[in-house]
Structure formats: structure tokens, C-alpha cells
Amino acid sequence: MSALATPGFEDVKAAAARLAGQAHRTPVMRSRTVDAATGAQFFFKCENFQRMGAFKFRGGFNALSCFDAGQRRAGVAAFSSGNHAQAIALAAQILGIPATILMPADAPAMKVAATRGYGGEVVLYDRYKEDREVLARRLAEERGMTLIPPYDHPHVIAGQGTAALELLEDTGPLDALFVPLGGGGLLSGCALSARALAPQCKVYGVEPAAGNDGQQSFRAGRIVHIDTPRTIADGAQTQHLGEHTFAIIRREVEDIHTATDAELVDAMRFFAERMKMLVEPTGCLAFAAARRLAQPGQRIGVILSGGNVDLQRFTQLLGQAG
Ligand SMILES: *Cc1c(COP(=O)(O)O)cnc(C)c1O
């Protein structure tokens, strides 16, 4: 756990000011098809159109913006299955900070290539055998770099919360907000914004059915650890929530739901066919559950968290279930 205090909504607002002119204010899209099928009103916050293709740029850029001069010189280290890696590499490039990224050897090729493309040095490891947190900590220590974890960091959480801040500014009050859940940076940050801007709005996390550690933790009242889950939602293959993220989730989140890989593929197909959008499997988590749970008349926000999926993988996934 970082020595910094668990963030509040004022930290999300500070992050929004740092991100202004750097992150895209992504569009909020509607779908008559979804609204007609559910009787609800859906508002999609399209972070698949964010810089580097996912919301993680928000947290990464906010965290690196808070570095002092010494930290900037020494550089940043990060571990990630993909999108956090790209986010740190891009934010570091923009801010002129050296970056070293630890990535699993089986991470999507596109994500590894993109991270290198942004100027990050990539170090590969075996995600089923090695403990990435231990490896990353050693790497950062050896090189004097500051380690920015993918979710359990106050500045990362505050940055991610700006996605829901923008959504609620655009939509006004919502009855429910569904957010993809891995380690909980996005969910906890968005919950802070929802509590402040739409106090009646119920916030739900959605994680892969194959790895429901968040749901188990939420119900048990303590952080439950699991083995790396095997799911197509590669951005949510986390083994446990963080100390900061869990503290906020316990307090501000209504419940945690799950979605199966088959439901994610179904949602990917829907977004491609009907809304002409490429959404990665993890990015479909929130909608996969929300379309099942929607009540007629509700105003429902859905975070589409990212769009980084190889086209080859995309067609393969859709073909299998077709
Ligand atoms: C990282 C990621 C998530 C999960 O975010 P957490 O903050 O770890 O809960 C969801 N969707 C995408 C596309 C991601 O990259």
C-alpha cells in the first residue's frame, strides 16, 4: 500500500485539471437498439476512443504528473498485462520521463508493440510462474525508479475517476453505473465521482466469471486472493483487489456482478455490428452485465473501458462463438 492517503473526490477533480488538454474527453454514445430491448436509457462512456485506446491513460498521466524533479529524472517502472503499460509509456513520453515496463510474455502482441512504440523499455516475464509485483519492485529498486502500480495507487485511482466525472457531467443524474473491474482502480475512482455528483446512483463493478475475487472480497469484507483466472478479458486477470481500491469499493459500491466469456463475445459482436465500435473483451464487461440487469425506465451509465484487441484475435473470438 502506498504511503499516500486513499483519495477522495477532490483528488479526482485535481486529476481532471491535470488531464485537461492531455486526455481526450471521450464521447458518450447512445443506442436505440439497446434502449428498445431493455426499456432503459443507456449512456456509453467510450474510453475505447481514449488516447492509447483505454481509460488507463488517465491514471497513468495523473500519477506521472505528480512526480517531483528527482523522480522524473530517475524514471518510472510499471508492471502490466497491457493497457497500463501503454498508458505509462505514453504518459512518460509526453512528460519526458524514462519508462521500464514489465509485461507478461503472453500479453497481446499489439499491446507489447504499442508499449515499445511509445518509447518504453519492455521486460517480459511468465505470468503463470513469476510474481510480477516482486519482480517489478526489484527492478524499480535496482534502477532507482518510482514504481507505479496498475490500480492500487491514489493518483491512479483519482485519474481513472475522471471517466465517470465526465460521464455524469454530460448525462446528469443516473440510476446506475456499471464499471469493468480488475484490480478496482477504475471502479473505485468512478465510485468517488458518482457519490459526489449523483448521490442516488448505484455503482456496480463487473468482473470475469472465471475470476470473481472482487465479488468474493466484497461479500467476505476482506481482500480474497485467487490464481490468475483464464478468461478472454485479459485486462481483468487480476488476482486480488488493492488496499486503497477495496477501501473505496466497500464503502461506495452497491454490488459486484460477473460476466462469462460467451457474454463478452456477444457484447463485442453487438458493438461492432450495431454501434460500429471495436471494444476489447475486458471493455465489454460492464455492458454484458448491465444489459442483463437493466430495469425499464432506468438511466444507466456504462463504462466501455478500452478497445485494444488484435484484429486477428477479434475475428477469431467472434468466429468461435458465431
Ligand atoms: C485495466 C483495465 C480494466 C480494469 O481496471 P482496474 O482499474 O484494474 O479495475 C478494465 N478494462 C480495461 C480495458 C483495462 O485495461
Side-chain angles (χ1 to χ4, degrees):
M1 181 147 158
S2 156
L4 293 160
T6 296
F9 181 60
E10 62 286 359
D11 299 298
V12 179
K13 282 193 291 188
R18 291 185 198 107
L19 285 165
Q22 297 291 345
H24 295 315
R25 188 178 182 104
T26 51
V28 177
M29 310 263 278
R30 307 290 312 272
S31 163
R32 285 169 195 268
T33 308
V34 172
D35 290 358
T38 58
Q41 284 179 279
F42 272 73
F43 300 87
F44 297 99
K45 178 65 170 168
C46 295
E47 288 295 296
N48 51 316
F49 296 135
Q50 186 51 263
R51 286 185 78 170
M52 52 65 52
F55 72 93
K56 288 227 172 55
F57 179 71
R58 297 174 182 272
F61 188 87
N62 187 51
L64 297 201
S65 298
C66 296
F67 275 21
D68 65 26
Q71 288 177 302
R72 281 175 192 245
R73 259 193 314 277
V76 59
F79 54 89
S80 166
S81 63
N83 284 334
H84 177 64
Q86 288 176 71
I88 292 293
L90 175 58
Q93 185 182 58
I94 293 168
L95 294 165
I97 297 172
T100 300
I101 318 284
L102 201 63
M103 297 184 81
D106 63 345
M110 188 181 107
K111 294 186 178 182
V112 176
T115 304
R116 290 200 170 113
Y118 292 131
E121 184 204 343
V122 174
V123 176
L124 298 173
Y125 74 100
D126 181 345
R127 80 159 103 197
Y128 296 105
K129 293 209 181 111
E130 299 171 278
D131 184 332
R132 63 183 194 167
E133 302 193 23
V134 173
L135 287 175
R137 232 164 251 126
R138 195 185 313 140
L139 191 83
E141 244 165 59
E142 278 167 14
R143 302 185 181 191
M145 295 173 135
T146 303
L147 180 66
I148 297 297
Y151 50 88
D152 203 25
H153 188 288
H155 298 155
V156 172
I157 293 168
Q160 318 305 34
T162 61
L165 170 72
E166 291 176 7
L167 172 65
L168 285 158
E169 280 175 357
D170 288 359
T171 62
L174 296 172
D175 299 304
L177 175 64
F178 288 82
V179 184
L181 171 60
L186 181 63
L187 176 60
S188 59
C190 287
L192 292 174
S193 292
R195 191 57 55 241
L197 299 178
Q200 307 305 319
C201 177
K202 294 195 163 124
V203 179
Y204 300 99
V206 186
E207 65 187 345
N212 72 333
D213 63 290
Q215 193 176 56
Q216 290 182 46
S217 304
F218 191 75
R219 301 202 169 147
R222 63 181 171 80
I223 298 172
V224 172
H225 291 239
I226 59 168
D227 289 338
T228 302
R230 301 212 181 230
T231 163
I232 60 169
D234 58 280
Q237 284 183 305
T238 37
Q239 294 173 274
H240 56 87
L241 301 177
E243 305 272 347
H244 292 291
T245 61
F246 184 57
I248 298 170
I249 289 168
R250 280 186 86 167
R251 199 179 68 218
E252 309 291 2
V253 169
E254 186 71 16
D255 203 357
I256 294 176
H257 297 289
T258 62
T260 64
D261 281 3
E263 288 175 312
L264 297 180
V265 170
D266 229 51
M268 284 168 73
R269 177 178 292 108
F270 170 81
F271 287 125
E273 279 180 358
R274 306 307 295 255
M275 295 181 75
K276 320 305 167 195
M277 293 198 297
L278 202 56
V279 184
E280 65 182 278
T282 316
C284 292
L285 278 167
F287 179 59
R291 72 195 305 195
R292 212 171 58 211
L293 299 163
Q295 302 289 323
Q298 281 186 322
R299 289 165 55 81
I300 299 176
V302 169
I303 309 275
L304 302 186
S305 51
N308 290 329
V309 52
D310 285 276
L311 269 188
Q312 204 188 339
R313 172 112 178 102
F314 181 82
T315 49
Q316 183 199 16
L317 286 171
L318 263 58
Q320 274 171 6

